[in-house]
Amino acid sequence: MPIARMAKVSVLAPRDMREELLDQLHRMGTVHVVDVAAAAADDEELKPLHDPFEPETRLLRLTLAKCDFIIDLLTRFEGKKKGMISGILAPRVHLTYEEFTEAEREIDLEGVYRELEDLDIRFRHTESTIAELQEDLKAMAPWSGLDCPLGAMGAANSIAYRLVIADEGAIAGWESELEERCPYTALQEVNHDKTGIYLAIIVHADNLAELDALLAERGMEQVQFTGKTGTVAEETAGAKERLKQEEESRAAVEAEIKGRLPIMPRVMALSDFLYNRLVKEETKGKLLHTRSVVALEGWVEESRVEEVRQGLVWLGQKADVEFAAPEEDDIPPTLMVNRRRIQPAENLINLFGIPNHEETDPTPFVAPFFILFFAMCIGDLGYGLILAFAFWLAMKKLDLSRTTKSFLRLFFYCGLATIVVGVFTRGYFGIDGEVLPGFLKFPGTIDIIKNPKPLMLICVALGLIHISVGMAIEMWDNARNNSWWLGFCEQGTTLLLWFGIAVLGVGMAAGVGPIKTGGLYVMLAGAVGIVFLSNISSKSLAGKFFGGLFNLYGLFGGTIGDVASYLRLYALGLATVAIGFVVNLMAGMVLGVPVLGILFMLVVLLGGHVFNLLVNFLGAFVHPLRLQYVEFFGKFYEDGGEPFAPLALETRKTVVDEE
């Protein structure tokens, strides 16, 4: 069974042994701890015994936040590329278990935090000052021709100064209106560039209000240089000098921060170490506490019960450890345990949601269909070779997480399958089938451009098989959880109908009368079964019949739609071959260019085929995934399982190597 059978474990131990108990469970990494404290809070019998316990996590969270601050700060100055791909490919910090447990003693976290916090404040302050100075210089640049000290403006009581920026449209008729409404003014054009006209205006106090009103009406922007007293040239020179000093200061602070980069691996190790302590502390809150004992409940794989029993022997007579099978109302967590070659497909299940404990794990069924569908969407031996080699090389050479490596393994399998499919669809880097040597066109291979019908029929047949497998899984789950009769009535009759259609189709294609007749009878038997049995849960006879009739009506329409959806596999495969063919055609055309023809041809071939592979790789992932999630899962899958998450060593930033 791909979903692990679970056993319930209960431990009753003295309260003063709580730490040792959790440490041991953490080392074993086999027990999924249940929150019995929350359940006890609502249980009238347990309430009087329960001594609420609040885990001490505040200090741990604060320390973790300091670690995160240091890591984030150093990462900013690490000079490495950022992004999802760069993050995946970045080398990771490897530690032994001893180094991991010593992480807390290896670094003076408080001292490092204070030092880097001070450097960060200084750096941010310098950055802010540099930005302000650059903004000042940018603002003063158009006014460089103004030789009046900026501090003198507004110094006299009887006159005032205005620095104004006006666009070309606002200045039309401006001077005559200014003379009419504000006769005691004088203006000077300081600069004129593509952004506007820069004007310096001297105005008598009696005309100031009118001038401001006129500027507002014309939409002219008033400029102020608050705090500046020298001329624009003097202020600009001063700003440039300060800018130079601030940039030197920033470089010095940056160098100091980069000088602390070597401590980052130790901080990452400490962060993971503290995170595990936090998890253990939070787990304490899940235990049922009384004044003298603690009670723990959890789940363990049935196959590892003995391992857990032996691991808790040290508790001796002071504690009581019991194992039991799940009761009817229990909801155990889900752990998928597939074979190594199937495991990569668990990533696809995790993307959707893991199965609940009553369901069948769909991974063994998803894996072959997804790999085959992916291969059909590419359908080219050359591209399959590239994919298989690239993902195999990445698995061997890159320092990747287990999940990433698992995904790469899945695509490696997809690459191998693409090679096989490419042989049967005559896909060889989009080379025209007419020029392929005869031994590559052996019987059974298909030219999907000139003779698409066989591949389209294969897609339809695969679709019917795929959704039939989904329906069969639903029947199996129905039979396990209810009865075989109910499974046959609700799902078996549909399978009978589909089987009859398939046999009828084969008989028609082969032109064999008995097969056609047999298929027709099976199909009719399935249809009758659906009408009279598929709605057997209905209480009334009319409900059974008319509900079944409605099911039959919906089934025909739904089946046609579901199966037709699988034709996308043919369309995507055709697109890959056709684009490759066009790339080759274009390469042949540029080959005739004098002198540089060969170079152009190589550029077109390389660029075109890389583009074709990348674009269709994306389609080959998304569309088969859609067929799994919509057409296949729609027949049986409910998900909603709780992941099996044992109390165990868990690292987020480092890797603890197994010895």
Side-chain angles (χ1 to χ4, degrees):
M1 293 293 291
I3 292 183
R5 296 173 68 89
M6 290 286 164
K8 191 190 295 185
V9 55
S10 305
V11 181
L12 197 64
R15 186 163 177 158
D16 57 6
M17 297 181 74
R18 182 185 60 192
E19 298 290 337
E20 292 86 348
L21 173 63
L22 290 180
D23 285 344
Q24 176 65 6
L25 293 179
H26 186 260
R27 275 193 293 274
M28 290 194 296
T30 51
V31 177
H32 174 109
V33 180
V34 175
D35 191 351
V36 288
D42 300 328
D43 191 311
E44 294 301 326
E45 292 184 9
L46 292 176
K47 262 184 182 179
L49 299 173
H50 184 36
D51 179 19
F53 171 80
E54 192 64 32
E56 292 289 339
T57 60
R58 191 187 67 81
L59 187 59
L60 279 170
R61 292 184 187 281
L62 180 63
T63 311
L64 269 173
K66 290 178 180 177
C67 288
D68 290 342
F69 166 79
I70 294 172
I71 294 168
D72 289 345
L73 178 64
L74 293 178
T75 303
R76 275 169 43 204
F77 290 90
E78 203 174 12
K80 292 182 179 177
K81 290 182 179 178
K82 295 181 175 55
M84 187 179 72
I85 301 297
S86 301
I88 292 173
L89 299 181
R92 298 179 299 160
V93 178
H94 288 258
L95 302 164
T96 63
Y97 186 75
E98 286 71 22
E99 289 171 333
F100 180 75
T101 54
E102 293 294 323
E104 200 168 19
R105 302 176 189 171
E106 291 290 318
I107 187 169
D108 173 17
L109 181 68
E110 197 60 34
V112 172
Y113 173 74
R114 287 178 183 170
E115 179 190 0
L116 286 175
E117 185 185 40
D118 177 61
L119 288 171
D120 185 46
I121 291 171
R122 285 166 55 194
F123 186 84
R124 290 180 187 277
H125 175 72
T126 309
E127 284 267 274
S128 173
T129 305
I130 288 173
E132 288 176 8
L133 289 169
Q134 289 173 334
E135 192 64 30
D136 282 353
L137 286 170
K138 184 180 176 182
M140 288 190 294
W143 301 96
S144 58
L146 184 66
D147 54 4
C148 175
L150 297 172
M153 293 186 173
N157 292 328
S158 57
I159 61 172
Y161 296 82
R162 289 289 184 269
L163 298 180
V164 176
I165 302 174
D167 59 28
E168 294 284 355
I171 208 72
W174 149 259
E175 291 192 19
S176 58
E177 188 174 1
L178 177 66
E179 185 175 350
E180 180 183 339
R181 295 173 59 176
C182 308
Y184 304 116
T185 58
L187 64 86
Q188 176 190 352
E189 182 176 315
V190 179
N191 194 8
H192 189 168
D193 60 20
K194 61 182 180 182
T195 61
I197 302 168
Y198 298 80
L199 302 171
I201 304 173
I202 302 175
V203 58
H204 192 274
D206 293 344
N207 290 160
L208 182 58
E210 187 62 22
L211 174 65
D212 287 341
L214 179 59
L215 294 175
E217 290 171 14
R218 293 266 176 173
M220 296 180 176
E221 177 188 357
Q222 293 195 38
V223 179
Q224 295 181 338
F225 293 104
T226 307
K228 293 180 171 48
T229 56
T231 63
V232 172
E234 292 169 347
E235 293 290 341
T236 299
K240 286 181 177 177
E241 181 60 29
R242 283 190 59 201
L243 180 62
K244 182 181 176 184
Q245 294 171 359
E246 292 293 336
E247 287 176 339
E248 290 174 352
S249 176
R250 180 179 64 179
V253 175
E254 186 173 340
E256 282 191 65
I257 295 174
K258 286 183 175 177
R260 306 299 285 165
L261 279 173
I263 67 168
M264 190 154 75
R266 282 181 285 164
V267 180
M268 293 169 79
L270 177 59
S271 175
D272 277 344
F273 177 78
L274 294 172
Y275 175 72
N276 279 272
R277 278 184 54 188
L278 176 65
V279 170
K280 279 195 282 187
E281 192 64 29
E282 288 176 335
T283 304
K284 291 178 187 173
K286 296 180 178 180
L287 308 185
L288 176 64
H289 289 75
T290 69
R291 283 185 296 180
S292 56
V293 299
V294 291
L296 177 147
E297 277 194 10
W299 295 99
V300 59
E301 285 181 74
E302 199 175 77
S303 60
R304 302 186 73 176
V305 165
E306 194 54 34
E307 179 187 342
V308 176
R309 192 194 305 277
Q310 293 302 321
L312 297 179
V313 163
W314 62 274
L315 288 169
Q317 299 297 323
K318 296 181 180 177
D320 180 50
V321 182
E322 291 185 359
F323 296 90
E327 296 176 8
E328 190 175 348
D329 295 336
D330 286 332
I331 304 177
T334 301
L335 174 65
M336 295 182 285
V337 282
N338 292 287
R339 294 178 184 275
R340 182 172 176 270
R341 297 195 185 285
I342 300 295
Q343 275 180 353
E346 289 181 3
N347 295 301
L348 305 178
I349 309 301
N350 291 330
L351 287 175
F352 186 88
I354 64 173
N356 64 55
H357 70 289
E358 292 183 337
E359 284 188 292
T360 298
D361 179 6
T363 310
F365 307 98
V366 167
F369 280 110
F370 178 81
I371 292 171
L372 175 61
F373 293 166
F374 180 99
M376 292 177 70
C377 290
I378 302 284
D380 189 289
L381 179 142
Y383 294 166
L385 282 171
I386 293 173
L387 290 174
F389 178 72
F391 287 114
W392 173 82
L393 196 64
M395 285 190 295
K396 294 294 180 186
K397 298 297 182 183
L398 298 179
D399 185 15
L400 303 169
S401 69
R402 183 177 296 181
T403 302
T404 305
K405 193 168 284 190
S406 177
F407 251 118
L408 296 187
R409 185 175 295 280
L410 176 65
F411 289 127
F412 169 69
Y413 294 154
C414 290
L416 293 179
T418 303
I419 294 172
V420 176
V421 172
V423 170
F424 286 95
T425 57
R426 301 179 188 174
Y428 298 92
F429 286 113
I431 295 173
D432 186 359
E434 294 293 333
V435 300
L436 287 174
F439 70 89
L440 295 178
K441 297 187 280 188
F442 59 86
T445 58
I446 305 167
D447 186 334
I448 63 172
I449 294 180
K450 295 181 178 176
N451 185 23
K453 191 175 176 182
L455 189 58
M456 295 173 73
L457 291 174
I458 289 173
C459 292
V460 170
L462 280 173
L464 191 59
I465 293 171
H466 197 211
I467 61 175
S468 296
V469 171
M471 188 62 75
I473 295 173
E474 177 66 3
M475 186 176 75
W476 164 251
D477 287 341
N478 201 354
R480 280 193 307 146
N481 299 319
N482 299 296
S483 69
W484 276 105
W485 173 243
L486 195 62
F488 172 75
C489 292
E490 293 185 348
Q491 288 86 32
T493 49
T494 300
L495 285 172
L496 197 63
L497 173 72
W498 287 346
F499 180 70
I501 293 173
V503 173
L504 179 63
V506 171
M508 292 174 68
V512 180
I515 296 179
K516 280 195 297 184
T517 305
L520 183 62
Y521 284 141
V522 173
M523 185 184 74
L524 290 174
V528 171
I530 291 170
V531 171
F532 289 101
L533 299 175
S534 66
N535 205 35
I536 195 170
S537 301
S538 178
K539 293 180 179 177
S540 68
L541 193 61
K544 295 181 196 294
F545 176 76
F546 288 106
L549 203 59
F550 181 78
N551 288 342
L552 181 65
Y553 168 76
L555 189 62
F556 271 112
T559 302
I560 292 171
D562 289 346
V563 171
S565 186
Y566 288 79
L567 286 172
R568 71 185 64 218
L569 300 174
Y570 160 74
L572 289 164
L574 177 65
T576 309
V577 173
I579 294 173
F581 177 78
V582 171
V583 168
N584 294 339
L585 202 62
M586 292 170 62
M589 294 168 66
V590 299
L591 181 62
V593 175
V595 184
L596 298 176
I598 294 179
L599 178 63
F600 286 166
M601 181 192 73
L602 292 175
V603 170
V604 170
L605 284 176
L606 184 63
H609 283 295
V610 168
F611 168 79
N612 192 22
L613 180 56
L614 292 178
V615 168
N616 286 291
F617 177 85
L618 184 63
F621 177 70
V622 172
H623 287 281
L625 207 57
R626 191 256 182 211
L627 292 175
Q628 303 289 343
Y629 289 168
V630 178
E631 268 69 40
F632 185 55
F633 281 4
K635 297 292 176 285
F636 70 99
Y637 198 53
E638 296 179 1
D639 76 356
E642 178 190 6
F644 179 73
L647 178 63
L649 177 65
E650 184 180 351
T651 57
R652 301 174 301 170
K653 305 178 192 301
T654 59
V655 179
V656 178
D657 294 321
E658 296 180 3
E659 297 178 358

